[in-house]
């Protein structure tokens, strides 16, 4: 599959965004991996899967708007030795299916890869019935389930491939819109459970994932003008968390910031906090994200700005926290 991760495809995936990348990558994937079946809940267009559905009808199942049944069907297929991907919009893929995920994937250990479309704040105009700021917190408490939040479209493709070959079920959380700015311009080593240092700095560390990785890179450009050069870590896997990189980096800094497009309760910040407490790490942890509330509906950019999750807001929050200290 390495030949698929070429510069032309990476550029195309960035332009079309993570959702469409999922559909386009699946076309290449099924040509080489004949045992893959994608099960959807009436979202073939939204998931970029229309060509997949037409060209590979034997590898595609649409259960209609019945998300809980989607998990049941996927469970049956995986017990028939197919590698199964399910997909629908994030709140319906996770919260609506939570009992089925717990019983079938967690308790019964049936292996499925779930792709949650449009997580975070991207569907802000539809309100918080469609936004998804609780999915990590809910699923992180279920055993035998891993969670990935890809930083860009290339990482989306690599997450899907890695998840299909991983020992446990995996939830892949897609954030951001179209286009999807590239964090990685060429192929790189991706491994579930291994964080990646994007920038090596010397004063503070920022641990982030999903679409927030790009915003944190832009925030770092603002911070550098204030003589703050942060280390940025793409913690694409929230579970299992890369505790090793947290232990190593915490020794170098007085401040660790987590930035996430999720409630600060139960998400990346909580996972990092647990790891730091477990390992008796002394750095001060500051969690940036959505502060346990449901804002009013609004556009993606409006919500990011309102919640201080755009580059300006992130940099401002960090500067306010470290003033008179660093």
């Amino acid at each position: 599959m390495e030949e698929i991760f070429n510069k032309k495809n990476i550029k195309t995936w960035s332009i079309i965004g993570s959702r469409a990348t999922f559909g386009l990558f699946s076309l290449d994937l099924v040509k080489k991996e004949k045992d893959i079946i994608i099960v959807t809940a009436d979202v073939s267009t939204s998931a970029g899967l229309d060509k997949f559905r037409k060209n590979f009808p034997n590898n595609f199942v649409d259960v209609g708007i019945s998300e809980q049944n989607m998990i049941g069907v996927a469970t049956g297929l995986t017990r028939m030795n197919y590698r199964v991907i399910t997909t629908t919009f994030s709140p319906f893929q996770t919260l609506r299916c939570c009992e089925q995920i717990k019983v079938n994937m967690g308790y019964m250990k049936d292996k499925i890869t779930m792709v949650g479309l449009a997580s975070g704040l991207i569907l802000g105009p539809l309100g918080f019935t469609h936004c998804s700021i609780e999915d990590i917190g809910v699923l992180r408490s279920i055993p035998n389930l891993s969670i990935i939040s890809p930083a860009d479209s290339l990482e989306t493709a690599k997450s899907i491939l890695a998840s299909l070959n991983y020992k446990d079920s995996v939830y892949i959380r897609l954030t951001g819109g179209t286009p999807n700015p590239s964090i990685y311009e060429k192929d790189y080593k991706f491994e579930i459970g291994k964080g990646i240092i994007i920038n090596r700095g010397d004063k503070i560390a920022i641990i982030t994932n999903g679409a927030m990785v790009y915003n944190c890179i832009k925030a770092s450009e603002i911070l550098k003008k204030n003589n703050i050069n942060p280390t940025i870590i793409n913690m694409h896997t929230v579970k299992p968390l890369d505790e090793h990189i947290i232990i190593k980096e915490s020794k170098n800094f007085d401040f660790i910031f987590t930035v996430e497009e999720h409630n600060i309760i139960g998400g990346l910040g909580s996972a990092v906090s647990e790891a730091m407490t477990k390992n008796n790490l002394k750095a001060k942890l500051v969690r940036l994200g959505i502060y346990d509330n449901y804002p009013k509906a609004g556009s993606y950019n409006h919500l990011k700005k309102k919640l201080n999750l755009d580059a300006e807001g992130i940099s401002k929050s960090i500067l306010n926290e470290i003033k008179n200290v660093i």
Side-chain angles (χ1 to χ4, degrees):
M1 295 294 294
E2 286 77 10
E3 68 275 9
I4 295 175
F5 301 113
N6 57 61
K7 288 187 177 181
K8 180 181 178 181
N9 283 342
I10 292 169
K11 183 176 181 181
T12 299
W13 295 338
S14 175
I15 292 169
I16 64 177
S18 284
R19 271 200 270 169
T21 294
F22 165 49
L24 196 59
F25 179 68
S26 296
L27 283 171
D28 291 320
L29 190 61
V30 76
K31 292 173 184 176
K32 296 179 178 293
E33 311 283 347
K34 305 296 185 181
D35 62 338
I36 290 172
I37 292 183
I38 298 179
V39 186
T40 76
D42 196 33
V43 296
S44 65
T45 300
S46 298
L49 289 166
D50 282 342
K51 287 185 179 180
F52 186 99
R53 172 175 56 83
K54 293 174 183 177
N55 293 327
F56 299 96
N58 293 331
N59 299 82
F60 184 84
V61 178
D62 190 340
V63 300
I65 305 175
S66 56
E67 293 85 357
Q68 293 165 325
N69 186 45
M70 176 181 69
I71 301 298
V73 170
T75 298
L77 289 169
T78 197
R79 291 189 183 186
M80 295 172 66
N81 297 318
Y82 290 103
R83 287 186 290 170
V84 184
I85 301 172
T86 65
T87 189
T88 184
F89 289 101
S90 175
F92 314 132
Q93 173 69 88
T94 56
L95 274 67
R96 184 168 292 172
C97 300
C98 190
E99 182 182 2
Q100 287 72 28
I101 293 169
K102 169 193 169 181
V103 173
N104 293 117
M105 286 177 247
Y107 189 35
M108 303 300 292
K109 299 183 181 180
D110 292 308
K111 179 176 159 41
I112 297 169
T113 294
M114 299 181 291
V115 177
L117 306 175
S119 191
L121 302 167
I122 187 65
L123 294 183
L126 299 177
F128 279 77
T129 56
H130 284 64
C131 290
S132 187
I133 64 169
E134 321 86 352
D135 49 345
I136 295 175
V138 170
L139 296 188
R140 198 164 65 88
S141 63
I142 297 177
N144 304 311
L145 179 65
S146 295
I147 301 170
I148 302 173
S149 184
D152 64 4
S153 294
L154 170 58
E155 196 157 81
T156 294
K158 294 187 81 71
S159 297
I160 293 166
L161 181 60
S163 298
L164 288 169
N165 298 309
Y166 193 61
K167 61 183 179 66
D168 293 329
S169 290
V170 180
Y171 169 57
I172 301 174
R173 179 186 203 249
L174 303 187
T175 55
T178 304
N180 186 267
S182 289
I183 305 302
Y184 303 99
E185 301 291 343
K186 59 182 180 180
D187 195 11
Y188 66 102
K189 183 179 180 181
F190 175 90
E191 185 177 351
I192 293 175
K194 297 294 182 182
I196 301 171
I197 295 179
I198 301 293
N199 177 69
R200 173 66 71 184
D202 58 8
K203 293 194 175 182
I204 65 172
I206 301 173
I207 300 175
T208 186
N209 59 22
M212 289 295 107
V213 174
Y214 178 77
N215 287 10
C216 288
I217 291 172
K218 289 299 179 182
S220 73
E221 296 174 3
I222 299 172
L223 292 170
K224 286 175 184 177
K225 295 177 182 178
N226 291 272
N227 298 316
I228 303 295
N229 180 29
T231 286
I232 300 175
I233 301 171
N234 171 20
M235 193 68 79
H236 50 71
T237 307
V238 183
K239 182 185 178 185
L241 193 72
D242 187 351
E243 292 191 14
H244 175 76
I245 199 170
I246 295 172
I247 294 168
K248 182 178 179 181
E249 295 306 318
S250 291
K251 294 176 181 178
N252 299 324
F253 303 109
D254 293 326
F255 284 91
I256 304 289
F257 291 88
T258 57
V259 182
E260 58 190 313
E261 199 172 325
H262 186 276
N263 193 341
I264 61 166
I265 295 176
L268 175 64
S270 291
V272 172
S273 176
E274 290 162 15
M276 292 178 68
T277 301
K278 171 186 172 183
N279 292 285
N280 197 30
L281 303 178
K282 303 302 184 183
K284 180 177 181 180
L285 175 66
V286 180
R287 296 174 295 163
L288 304 180
I290 297 143
Y291 291 88
D292 198 29
N293 69 91
Y294 291 118
K296 291 182 179 179
S299 71
Y300 189 39
N301 288 335
H302 167 76
L303 287 173
K304 286 189 294 183
K305 183 175 183 179
K306 180 178 180 179
L307 296 166
N308 289 319
L309 289 174
D310 58 357
E312 291 75 15
I314 293 167
S315 60
K316 182 179 179 181
S317 296
I318 291 174
L319 287 171
N320 285 341
E321 186 67 36
I322 65 175
K323 65 182 178 182
N324 303 323
V325 178
I326 294 180

